[in-house]
Amino acid sequence: YFYGFTNESGKSVCDYEKAHTWVKKILDCSPVASCEYSAALSMMGELYYCGVVPKEQQSFSEAILYHRRACGMGVTYSEQKYAFMLSAGIGCEFDYDKVELHFSSAIKNGDSFAVNGLALFYLQYGEFKKAAELYKSIMATHPYAAYKLGCLYMNGVLSEDKKPDGFKAAYFFQY
């Protein structure tokens, strides 16, 4: 219901009230250690993050609580979302070490999108070499990463003399 379904007329329809009802039932009825419970925690976090919980306002602080609980149960999407929220101070205080920890945890659990999230975080804080290493690790499956590497070389931030390296940039742009 959260992501929508196609009704009889072919239109995509989202029903957040039903999504909330079913997620709440799962949280109330499922064993705490179950896969369904951890997924429901993550989904409840999204409902609060998007501000679509019926009869309640958008609450980033509630969203971060649910995502943090789901992180503890190994939900990689929530690890990434929690790290993103920490990085921007959404619903919480900014914490550099926790951002790095949670993005890294999601990466270790196979979330390649978290690689981009951590790389963008590093770029924001001027840690270009760390970002470049992350982009190199995913460029075979994510063309955007090769493009970002090309930009880093073109801007000269990866060379010792801080001069643009057009040859390396061209290599990554053509990758």
Side-chain angles (χ1 to χ4, degrees):
Y1 291 106
F2 178 80
Y3 295 109
F5 58 91
T6 305
N7 65 13
E8 56 277 348
S9 66
K11 292 184 179 179
S12 182
V13 179
C14 294
D15 189 334
Y16 300 120
E17 193 165 335
K18 283 186 181 177
H20 179 260
T21 300
W22 284 106
V23 169
K24 189 156 176 34
K25 282 184 183 186
I26 292 169
L27 290 173
D28 291 342
C29 300
S30 294
V32 174
S34 71
C35 187
E36 293 84 7
Y37 186 83
S38 60
L41 284 173
S42 184
M43 181 54 69
M44 189 64 86
E46 276 306 284
L47 288 167
Y48 276 106
Y49 183 84
C50 294
V52 294
V53 175
K55 299 178 183 120
E56 293 193 35
Q57 291 189 1
Q58 185 175 35
S59 174
F60 293 129
S61 58
E62 284 294 314
I64 206 155
L65 290 174
Y66 280 104
H67 281 302
R68 186 174 65 212
R69 287 176 59 197
C71 287
M73 299 181 80
V75 179
T76 57
Y77 175 79
S78 280
E79 287 272 11
Q80 179 187 4
K81 190 68 163 210
Y82 184 61
F84 167 73
M85 292 177 77
L86 284 169
S87 74
I90 298 173
C92 61
E93 292 292 319
F94 168 80
D95 187 326
Y96 186 97
D97 294 331
K98 283 185 181 178
V99 171
E100 204 170 36
L101 172 77
H102 287 285
F103 269 132
S104 296
S105 178
I107 292 166
K108 285 177 189 165
N109 289 323
D111 187 345
S112 62
F113 293 106
V115 174
N116 186 53
L118 184 55
L120 289 172
F121 177 71
Y122 284 148
L123 290 176
Q124 185 177 359
Y125 286 91
E127 298 191 45
F128 303 115
K129 291 185 181 186
K130 284 184 177 181
E133 289 305 312
L134 288 168
Y135 283 135
K136 286 177 184 174
S137 75
I138 62 167
M139 69 182 210
T141 56
H142 292 72
Y144 173 76
Y147 169 76
K148 291 297 282 185
L149 280 165
C151 291
L152 291 171
Y153 280 108
M154 194 61 154
N155 290 326
V157 296
L158 293 178
S159 62
E160 295 300 321
D161 59 3
K162 302 294 180 209
K163 291 183 181 175
D165 187 337
F167 291 111
K168 284 186 181 175
Y171 170 77
F172 289 108
F173 287 143
Q174 294 175 10
Y175 188 82

